[in-house]
């Protein structure tokens, strides 16, 4: 028998400071973009239209920022989270260079923290993952942490290192992609008259639409991202697993929520930062996902009078509309329908 | 609470003569074409093969005409038919410039008629929708009418205006795409020896094959077209809706019928006109769609001895083969299996 | 009524030596590649990454060899196996020029054998099918045989001709694509440290992962290949068919098995030969496919010290993991879970 199959890393294999080169650099194509559109129905004009992109000074339509994120995330799975019990959180995420069709993303991760659980069966692995394009420019750079099983429980616990991650990405870290200018921004073509000026901190937006997920859809998405986590694909094994069925990859819900958010946030032309995110509950095929957003903060951007930023919390639910903005109850527990909380910043044109 | 979500227009919001610029111009890509092939299995050589397209004088393979149609239709939904009860018909449709990968389609509509229903709860909106490429050339130009709800039933009925739409597009309005020549047309590569000369008015063709529709397929198609009509996507809401389940977008059936029609009409290289269409009955996931066609008329084209036109009626059914050409009963009512009647013109090479 | 629908060829229509030009040459695009990735999750770096391909001397990422195979196979179906009862086997397959996005594959077949069954109801048709690119270079060239029904059983049996097909493609027939060099091969980016040197004849590799098939997935794949065999698409007809449901196209299982084989054979950068294959049992939606491989042989390639070949047998199962390498029982009968046996050769870098 052969030992050539990749078993993934277990908790005891990680070392703080370790740098991991992830396999299979990935060239993004128009095919990926079309599948992304077919799976999520995203309508952001900047990502849909070469002419709209040209009107904003860009050479072609950049790919959706969350497609970039999911491609980078997918690369990290075989090395970081193949043996994860749970994907616990995200922080300190920034989006840099726009990703264009034809670009190739390469991904590396650095272990920035390790903390074994008291039972000695698993531990939390903190990594910072960096996706760069073929010119070495940062496309997305973010931290996540996951609870990873130990295989050899006789190995002692490492010195605990818990990184000091910011509660939110600071506005000074938000960057505007090179060349992007919105002097000719056309709100009719973009799909909404509501610009940065029109959003208020504390404002809540019900994105109204609901989207039912099919097994083939979430699997196609997750395979497109070359994410190899087994719980998404194998009904034969999951039948006897924790939930009796395949679990939808969390990034699928993030992309779906972002797509639904077009209805109310059509001018949120780019995701600039990822401050946090929690997959509050699992999602399954057959579930219908809804979303709403709250404006957590508004920022000006240094040296820009044309573009501002909004910090948003987008909450996704399953099988429950969001007209009353379900989130947490009085005790601070999530409402049962909530599946995702996503804290991020977007860029939006300012009215001239 | 925010009012930034697009509620769509209601009947009382439309005015005759009103021009609507639809959001999200759409760049068509090879990705869209591949998904179209994967969803419908279309085999028309002109759309499948760069070398075949080159042999007909074209710079690359144009995208399927119904993909162009569905992309344009999709754009109109958020403004025209988000609150529609029914999509009632099509007329006066013409296909102009071929659409190529890399082209961007922009869509506008003009309200050409309004007629409130007697109950004051809804009315029929007639629009002419125009999709143009990035050079402003007409790609598809067609009329449709839909029954749209009123939100504020206290608003009085507008002066009724019912446009005078032709029963069929006149053959003088059919255009041959610039550069298309069929002197080197290879019937072996095209998949059928039957040319324009071989079809007779009144001839009926059973397209034989049946295709079962899955939920993920019709949703992927409809999202690819960025069509936002809610009844296609949300099982959680439709469970309590009219049919208890998601309804397949009518344009999906049109594309499927056109694709099935390859078997018997392989040399119908382009759709040139859309004279009429009715979605006779709803289609659902699990239904198997079959199709047959009747040649309604044959036209010569002014100044062309190489290409002629056929006016076709393609009828699609569900869960019933078409060897006996199901259509209407003696009383003029549709047979229960019929889901679509589509009246259109195609271009076909003439034998040399 | 019209006779313009293609009924396919029946056994009595074939003649030894007959050459068939298959319809619809097919231009391969980035869209096809993305759908292939979304359906199978393949991660081979050479097919996923333009930069990785460039590091091996290639102008862009070539498409997956089995996508090329399935596209060529699909073309042959309307003429060869539309009336087939069973697809019996493959032999003598070679892969030549790499297929790149933008290339157009044209396919022809030659009938190389015919043998009517004793009952006079059907017979075995042997064909050699050749897919070439737009420069006429061989992309894939293989033999297959299928049992095809007779329509007119009064036609007498032809002189039986059974071609002498090799049990395995000889190593001297394996070619390395022009320009491919692996001097800069990066195993970290490729996803595995195991090179040609590390594999031993007789070694068995469990590819571990399982993938559950959905109806929409196998139908999308099969339509993408423009394969028209009816048993894959029509639940309304198959409900009363042999299995009561749609059958998954065998090539879908081959592609899935190859994709699963990445985990253990990540450096098998190209399929060079197809020596044999049997679709041992049908696969249906809902089945979970697993795979394992055995190294049947190892070859050096004439004049190459950088690349060697492995002859592999990959076995796919349904609803059964492969940790104990299920294959045949003591009597030589396949284990009930086995659905595919695939005998092929791959190229793999040699350690420097």
């Amino acid at each position: 028998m052969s030992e050539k199959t990749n078993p993934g890393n277990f908790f005891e294999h990680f070392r703080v400071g370790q740098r991991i080169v992830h396999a299979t650099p990935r060239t993004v194509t128009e095919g990926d973009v079309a599948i992304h559109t077919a799976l999520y129905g995203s309508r952001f004009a900047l990502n849909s239209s070469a002419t709209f992109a040209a009107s904003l000074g860009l050479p072609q339509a950049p790919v959706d920022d969350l497609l970039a994120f999911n491609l980078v995330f997918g690369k990290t799975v075989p090395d970081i989270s193949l043996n994860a019990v749970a994907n616990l959180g995200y922080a300190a995420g920034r989006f840099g260079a726009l990703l264009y069709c034809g670009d190739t993303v390469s991904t590396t991760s650095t272990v920035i923290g390790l903390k074994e659980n008291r039972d000695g069966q698993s531990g939390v692995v903190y990594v910072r993952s960096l996706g760069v394009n073929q010119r070495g420019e940062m496309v997305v750079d973010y931290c996540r942490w996951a609870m990873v099983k130990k295989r050899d429980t006789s190995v002692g616990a490492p010195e605990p290192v818990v990184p000091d991650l910011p509660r939110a990405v600071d506005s000074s870290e938000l960057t505007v992609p090179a060349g992007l200018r919105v002097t000719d921004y056309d709100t009719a073509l973009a799909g909404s008259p509501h610009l940065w000026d029109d959003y208020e901190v504390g404002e809540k937006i019900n994105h109204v639409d609901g989207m039912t997920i099919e097994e083939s859809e979430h699997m196609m998405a997750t395979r497109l991202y070359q994410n190899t986590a087994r719980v998404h694909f194998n009904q034969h094994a999951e039948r006897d697993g924790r939930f009796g069925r395949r679990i939808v990859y969390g990034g699928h819900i993030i992309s779906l929520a972002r797509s639904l958010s077009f209805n109310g946030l059509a001018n949120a032309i780019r995701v600039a930062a990822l401050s946090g995110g929690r997959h509050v509950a699992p999602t399954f095929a057959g579930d219908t996902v809804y979303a709403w957003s709250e404006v957590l903060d508004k920022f000006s951007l240094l040296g820009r009078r044309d573009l501002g930023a909004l910090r948003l919390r987008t909450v996704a639910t399953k099988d429950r509309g969001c007209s009353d903005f379900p989130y947490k109850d009085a005790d601070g527990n999530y409402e049962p329908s909530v599946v995702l909380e996503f804290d991020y910043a977007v860029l939006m044109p300012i009215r001239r």
Side-chain angles (χ1 to χ4, degrees), chain A:
Chain A
M1 179 168 163
S2 168
E3 289 296 346
K4 295 199 169 62
T5 303
N6 173 29
N9 289 309
F10 288 84
F11 180 74
E12 68 270 24
H13 298 137
F14 293 98
R15 297 287 172 268
V16 172
Q18 180 183 359
R19 183 168 172 275
I20 299 168
V21 175
H22 301 298
T24 315
R26 175 72 151 77
T27 302
V28 185
T29 72
E30 295 181 344
D32 300 316
V33 170
I35 293 175
H36 190 270
T37 303
L39 291 173
Y40 304 113
S42 185
R43 292 190 288 142
F44 291 99
L46 181 59
N47 307 124
S48 297
S49 171
T51 56
F52 193 88
S55 77
L56 304 194
L58 301 177
Q60 53 171 294
V63 313
D64 190 286
D65 300 308
L66 289 169
L67 174 53
F69 172 79
N70 278 316
L71 287 170
V72 167
F73 186 102
K75 294 302 157 200
T76 69
V77 168
D79 301 307
I80 306 298
S81 52
L82 203 60
N83 301 304
V85 184
N87 192 32
L88 297 171
Y90 308 96
R94 293 177 308 124
F95 291 78
L98 291 166
L99 191 64
Y100 291 104
C101 292
D103 284 351
T104 299
V105 197
S106 299
T107 303
T108 53
S109 293
T110 305
V111 180
I112 58 171
L114 287 173
K115 185 162 186 290
E116 185 163 309
N117 288 326
R118 287 187 190 166
D119 64 6
Q121 303 293 311
S122 59
V124 178
V125 179
Y126 298 81
V127 293
R128 178 174 172 178
S129 297
L130 174 66
V132 299
N133 66 18
Q134 68 280 6
R135 289 181 298 277
E137 298 161 346
M138 184 271 280
V139 171
V140 58
D141 178 1
Y142 71 102
C143 298
R144 71 161 169 137
W145 53 106
M147 191 183 299
V148 177
K149 281 182 278 194
K150 291 180 77 167
R151 184 164 60 182
D152 180 355
T153 55
S154 74
V155 176
E159 181 75 17
V161 175
V162 175
D164 186 24
L165 294 169
R167 283 181 61 87
V169 175
D170 192 80
S171 65
S172 65
E173 297 199 67
L174 305 183
T175 57
V176 176
L180 182 69
R181 52 176 168 71
V182 292
T183 43
D184 294 331
Y185 195 83
D186 184 325
T187 54
L189 296 181
S192 166
H194 307 297
L195 295 173
W196 184 82
D197 320 64
D198 304 319
Y199 290 85
E200 291 176 27
V201 174
E203 181 174 354
K204 295 178 178 180
I205 303 160
N206 175 15
H207 301 307
V208 179
D209 302 306
M211 193 73 79
T212 306
I213 299 172
E214 301 296 319
E215 296 282 14
S216 55
E217 292 170 3
H218 76 82
M219 293 199 297
M220 285 184 69
T222 312
R223 286 185 295 240
L224 189 73
Y225 310 142
Q226 298 179 314
N227 176 330
T228 58
R230 291 160 186 164
V231 292
H232 308 311
F233 302 114
N234 185 330
Q235 182 57 32
H236 178 246
E238 292 308 313
R239 195 177 54 194
D240 304 317
R242 203 164 15 148
F243 301 103
R245 46 192 166 152
R246 286 163 275 180
I247 302 168
V248 174
Y249 161 51
H252 190 66
I253 306 301
I254 296 173
S255 285
L256 195 43
R258 163 76 173 155
S259 178
L260 292 170
S261 79
F262 178 88
N263 200 347
L265 289 163
N267 293 316
I269 55 175
R270 123 147 284 214
V271 176
L274 167 49
S275 286
R278 281 196 61 182
H279 299 291
V280 174
T283 310
F284 305 102
D287 289 344
T288 300
V289 171
Y290 294 86
W292 67 274
S293 296
E294 179 172 352
V295 180
L296 298 181
D297 210 345
K298 285 185 73 163
F299 310 116
S300 298
L301 297 172
L302 196 67
R304 303 286 304 214
R305 302 185 67 168
D306 56 343
L307 276 172
L310 300 178
R311 182 180 166 202
L312 301 168
R313 177 198 293 123
T314 292
V315 174
T317 62
K318 61 180 180 186
D319 292 345
R320 184 188 192 292
C322 292
S323 57
D324 59 348
F325 311 115
Y327 182 42
K328 291 180 176 175
D329 65 18
D331 297 330
N333 299 313
Y334 287 102
E335 295 279 353
S337 64
V338 174
V339 295
L340 171 74
E341 167 172 23
F342 198 63
D343 181 338
Y344 60 115
V346 295
L347 303 186
M348 194 179 278
I350 297 174
R351 185 164 289 114
R352 302 178 66 214

